[in-house]
């Protein structure tokens, strides 16, 4: 293993599209949604042990989830858990991580990845990251993994890349936000578009140079505490100054502005697992196309549905096709799978009628 390889796992989100299983107090990264006996954050952590030792893996999360990170990843020291006092999107959290790691190791070569993605071919995933790490170690490059699209999906952003040349690492031409269906079909037909997976590789020095050039306000605020990182003064500095940073994604702040952006077109069974429908799509189903989680479930004339029932409850379900059924004890969700985009909006009605108790 390369001692200069580090991983930062972003684990501060709420996962509101996975409501009612994912709640403000215990979001989806801490849930066993894959029925493996392990949470998503645990699976992600273990996946990266093939690239670096556990002491080189850092978690970036919200302060309110510090204890849950410790519960799921007891191998980590307190210094490996970066606690944000506010949710300011991905650019500030990545800048904070880069500054902290630069103070530890100026030669750090860093992978940044979300805590709640599914990777079905882990060997291929690790091999792809090794290619990326080699490239960023030798070049001043900001690299993002792009996924070869298998369908015209409107839920992902897209990366357009230059197809010329034999290298597996490609120059990025442009980023495109989530398209309408017709545009997504055009992207697939053109053959030079990839899904944006939100998984990055870069040397921290190259990354900090990009922040200085393209997102100076974030850099100036957080670099003022350079001498405090990895000391007892770090959290106080972050608590005071981090909320002052602009709330902006790293794509907008850095990736869409810089001219040294590269990608590796990849296929390793990736899903961002952003919704119940994606969980149903990416995981094993029975002969009726149902993805069932629960100990006592009887189905009749039920097809293409995701059913998640508490293990202590008997559920008898019939006559459903293409539905989501999620029982969390205090909340029962029954909703057409092809209308799941409405669920997030409906949680606003839950809050309006019943307060934050069920969110």
């Amino acid at each position: 293993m390369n001692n200069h390889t580090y991983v930062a796992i972003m684990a501060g989100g709420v996962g509101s599209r996975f409501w009612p299983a994912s709640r403000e107090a215990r979001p989806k990264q801490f849930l066993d949604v894959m029925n493996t006996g392990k949470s998503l954050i645990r699976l992600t952590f273990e996946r990266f042990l093939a690239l670096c030792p556990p002491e080189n893996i850092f978690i970036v999360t919200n302060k309110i989830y510090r204890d849950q990170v410790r519960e799921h990843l007891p191998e980590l020291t307190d210094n490996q858990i970066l606690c944000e006092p506010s949710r300011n999107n991905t650019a500030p959290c990545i800048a904070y991580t880069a500054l902290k790691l630069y103070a530890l190791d100026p030669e750090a070569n860093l992978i940044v990845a979300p805590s709640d993605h599914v990777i079905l071919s882990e060997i291929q995933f690790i091999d792809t990251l090794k290619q990326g790490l080699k490239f960023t170690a030798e070049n001043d490059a900001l690299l993002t993994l792009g996924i070869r699209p298998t369908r015209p999906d409107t839920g992902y952003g897209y990366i357009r890349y230059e197809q010329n040349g034999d290298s597996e690492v490609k120059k990025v031409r442009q980023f495109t936000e989530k398209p309408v269906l017709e545009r997504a079909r055009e992207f697939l037909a053109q053959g030079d578009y990839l899904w944006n997976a939100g998984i990055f590789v870069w040397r921290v020095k190259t990354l900090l140079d990009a922040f200085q050039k393209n997102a100076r306000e974030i850099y100036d605020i957080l670099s003022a505490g350079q001498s405090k990182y990895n000391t007892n003064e770090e959290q106080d500095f972050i608590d005071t100054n981090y909320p002052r940073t602009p709330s902006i994604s790293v794509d907008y702040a850095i990736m869409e502005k810089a001219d040294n952006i590269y990608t590796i077109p990849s296929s390793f069974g990736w899903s961002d697992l952003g919704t119940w429908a994606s969980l149903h799509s990416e995981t094993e189903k029975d002969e009726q196309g149902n993805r069932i989680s629960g100990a006592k479930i009887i189905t009749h004339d039920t097809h293409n549905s995701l059913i998640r029932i508490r293990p202590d409850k008997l559920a008898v379900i019939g006559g459903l096709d293409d539905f989501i059924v999620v029982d969390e004890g205090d909340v029962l969700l029954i909703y057409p799978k092809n209308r799941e985009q409405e669920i997030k909006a409906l949680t606003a009605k839950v809050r309006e009628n019943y307060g934050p108790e069920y969110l």
Side-chain angles (χ1 to χ4, degrees):
M1 294 183 183
N2 188 326
N3 290 336
H4 297 301
T5 296
Y6 294 81
V7 175
I9 299 172
M10 296 183 290
V14 178
S16 56
R17 290 181 293 174
F18 259 83
W19 185 85
S22 184
R23 310 283 183 97
E24 176 78 24
R26 195 169 186 86
K28 72 170 180 173
Q29 58 266 32
F30 302 112
L31 304 179
D32 176 18
V33 300
M34 300 296 292
N35 293 337
T36 62
K38 297 179 180 180
S39 64
L40 289 174
I41 193 172
R42 182 74 212 178
L43 291 172
T44 303
F45 173 81
E46 292 181 358
R47 186 178 300 135
F48 284 115
L49 293 175
L51 285 172
C52 66
E55 57 266 26
N56 284 24
I57 300 178
F58 290 72
I59 307 297
V60 191
T61 190
N62 191 277
K63 286 183 73 172
I64 63 175
Y65 303 135
R66 186 203 307 260
D67 289 343
Q68 290 186 68
V69 171
R70 287 174 175 154
E71 173 192 342
H72 288 257
L73 304 174
E75 300 94 329
L76 301 186
T77 65
D78 287 347
N79 195 50
Q80 289 172 264
I81 306 174
L82 286 68
C83 293
E84 306 164 289
S86 59
R87 290 189 171 99
N88 289 24
N89 214 313
T90 55
C93 89
I94 288 172
Y96 169 25
T97 306
L99 287 160
K100 180 180 176 71
L101 290 181
Y102 188 76
L104 283 175
D105 180 1
E107 297 181 56
N109 204 7
L110 173 64
I111 297 165
V112 175
S115 60
D116 53 3
H117 287 188
V118 169
I119 307 293
L120 298 180
S121 179
E122 297 201 357
I123 293 175
Q124 197 166 351
F125 175 67
I126 295 300
D127 286 345
T128 302
L129 284 173
K130 286 179 178 177
Q131 291 176 16
L133 288 164
K134 184 176 187 298
F135 186 79
T136 55
E138 298 171 353
N139 299 274
D140 286 327
L142 305 173
L143 188 141
T144 180
L145 299 192
I147 308 300
R148 297 189 186 277
T150 57
R151 60 186 181 274
D153 200 303
T154 60
Y156 299 141
Y158 284 73
I159 301 167
R160 190 179 187 188
Y161 67 98
E162 295 181 1
Q163 292 182 295
N164 58 319
D166 296 329
S167 173
E168 295 184 23
V169 181
K170 306 293 187 182
K171 191 84 164 61
V172 170
R173 294 180 63 179
Q174 70 181 82
F175 290 87
T176 302
E177 291 304 303
K178 298 173 183 178
V180 297
L181 183 58
E182 183 179 348
R183 286 285 288 159
R185 287 175 177 152
E186 292 174 4
F187 292 166
L188 257 69
Q190 285 183 223
D192 58 351
Y193 281 85
L194 307 167
W195 288 336
N196 188 350
I199 301 170
F200 306 99
V201 186
W202 35 39
R203 269 185 296 132
V204 293
K205 177 64 168 65
T206 304
L207 177 59
L208 291 175
D209 287 345
F211 270 101
Q212 281 184 283
K213 181 178 179 181
N214 300 299
R216 190 59 187 250
E217 184 178 1
I218 294 173
Y219 179 84
D220 285 348
I221 291 171
L222 297 179
S223 65
Q226 190 66 59
S227 64
K228 303 180 188 300
Y229 291 126
N230 308 298
T231 75
N232 292 332
E233 299 178 75
E234 177 180 324
Q235 193 63 55
D236 285 343
F237 172 80
I238 289 297
D239 287 347
T240 300
N241 294 280
Y242 191 92
R244 297 170 47 220
T245 61
S247 180
I248 186 172
S249 72
V250 73
D251 293 284
Y252 281 132
I254 298 295
M255 304 299 282
E256 296 186 8
K257 297 177 181 177
D259 57 8
N260 56 337
I261 309 297
Y262 294 82
T263 189
I264 301 178
S266 311
S267 299
F268 40 72
W270 170 87
S271 171
D272 72 345
L273 211 63
T275 65
W276 288 117
S278 65
L279 176 61
H280 178 268
S281 173
E282 300 295 338
T283 52
E284 189 174 347
K285 294 167 276 292
D286 64 18
E287 293 178 355
Q288 286 72 47
N290 298 316
R291 201 267 187 186
I292 295 176
S293 173
K296 305 172 185 176
I297 301 176
I298 298 171
T299 60
H300 176 71
D301 189 28
T302 294
H303 310 275
N304 307 313
S305 296
L306 182 142
I307 300 169
R308 178 184 169 98
I309 304 295
R310 292 168 59 91
D312 59 345
K313 181 175 289 187
L314 168 65
V316 181
I317 298 170
L320 294 184
D321 184 46
D322 205 41
F323 263 74
I324 299 166
V325 180
V326 178
D327 170 41
E328 290 296 320
D330 60 341
V331 177
L332 172 63
L333 172 71
I334 304 172
Y335 219 78
K337 184 148 58 67
N338 63 2
R339 293 170 54 189
E340 70 164 354
Q341 69 276 6
E342 300 171 7
I343 294 174
K344 184 176 180 179
L346 285 171
T347 59
K349 284 193 174 182
V350 173
R351 182 182 295 274
E352 180 183 340
N353 292 342
Y354 303 106
E357 177 183 355
Y358 299 102
L359 301 176

